Amino acid sequence: MDLQKHAPAAPRTSELRASDADRDRVADMLREALAEGRLTAEEHAERVEGVLAAKTVGELDVFVRDLPAAHRGRDAAAAPHRPTAGAIPAEPDENVVAVFSSAVRKGRWRANRRIHAYAVFGSVEIDLSEAVFEYQQVVVKAFSVFGSVDVRVPENVSVRGAGGGVLGSFEVRTHDSDEADAPVVYVDGWAVLGSVDARPKRGKVVADILDRVHRRVEKGLRKHL
């Protein structure tokens, strides 16, 4: 008996049920289109309402198929949902701790492979928008107890995460960079009567590009001085 002849056909991507992450991705595209003037306020509101009611991936695609953002990076490989085996050490390279206080890690700093953040009746801010990424994969393990942990990454870095909240909020805004070789930041952990929030920092890519241009111009001027 040929079982393959009787096996049900796999559903097409457009027929798959849409997740909250899928809706957030499309909502981000619509927000970007509104800011760029591609959509009017009325068109934006109408499409967002449709996104919230959509049941499948195909229904979501209808609302952005005429927008450039929907066609960027389609050929790029998606970032893995979990770190590859052996890529991340079991012990943290760095601990960021706030107990009845606040702790901030931002500016130009080296992003280690594993960062543990603990907020106990306090707040932790980890801003990777100007960090130096020496590794392809970075894990941020966040624990919030009556506190908050906020993680921000530049737009050209992918974001993944897994965790939960106990009478608290754990939210990771999943994001795929348009660059196939971009670093990936994984935010895991728990929020107990607190919050963990991770998302891209919009507009940071533009600043990075301008910074590179300025450095090249300065380098060229020095050669002629």
Side-chain angles (χ1 to χ4, degrees):
M1 182 177 180
D2 190 349
L3 295 177
Q4 292 183 346
K5 290 183 179 180
H6 300 277
R12 292 176 295 180
T13 301
S14 61
E15 298 173 343
L16 296 175
R17 299 284 291 189
S19 67
D20 289 339
D22 292 327
R23 294 186 184 87
D24 288 342
R25 173 179 55 83
V26 174
D28 283 343
M29 293 182 191
L30 294 175
R31 192 179 304 113
E32 179 182 344
L34 175 64
E36 293 174 346
R38 300 182 190 276
L39 295 175
T40 65
E42 293 76 11
E43 290 172 331
H44 175 262
E46 181 180 350
R47 295 195 186 195
V48 168
E49 185 177 351
V51 166
L52 296 176
K55 301 297 184 183
T56 67
V57 173
E59 291 176 4
L60 287 175
D61 289 341
V62 171
F63 298 105
V64 293
R65 64 174 48 164
D66 60 342
L67 301 177
H71 305 282
R72 294 177 193 156
R74 287 200 166 183
D75 296 331
H81 284 273
R82 301 303 310 157
T84 54
I88 307 297
E91 297 298 323
D93 298 307
E94 181 176 3
N95 290 305
V96 184
V97 182
V99 179
F100 289 98
S101 62
S102 63
V104 179
R105 200 75 167 91
K106 63 188 302 184
R108 201 68 174 168
W109 61 292
R110 176 175 171 269
N112 291 299
R113 289 172 294 177
R114 178 180 286 273
I115 304 167
H116 283 191
Y118 303 90
V120 181
F121 290 94
S123 64
V124 172
E125 178 186 356
I126 298 178
D127 190 340
L128 295 160
S129 59
E130 297 181 17
V132 177
F133 286 86
E134 297 180 352
Y135 305 99
Q136 180 72 19
Q137 298 177 316
V138 172
V139 167
V140 178
K141 197 78 172 182
F143 302 94
S144 172
V145 181
F146 288 97
S148 64
V149 177
D150 293 319
V151 182
R152 298 293 180 266
V153 302
E155 281 188 277
N156 56 337
V157 170
S158 297
V159 183
R160 290 281 180 268
V166 179
L167 298 179
S169 171
F170 184 96
E171 181 179 359
V172 175
R173 184 67 61 85
T174 300
H175 172 70
D176 281 326
S177 171
D178 292 337
E179 303 173 19
D181 58 347
V184 187
V185 176
Y186 302 91
V187 181
D188 301 334
W190 286 91
V192 181
L193 292 167
S195 66
V196 174
D197 183 86
R199 64 186 63 203
K201 194 169 185 177
R202 297 300 184 189
K204 195 56 192 176
V205 174
V206 176
D208 290 343
I209 292 174
L210 290 176
D211 187 48
R212 294 192 198 107
V213 171
H214 290 158
R215 287 200 300 268
R216 290 178 182 176
V217 171
E218 290 175 359
K219 185 177 180 180
L221 289 174
R222 284 197 297 268
K223 289 182 179 179
H224 293 87
L225 293 178

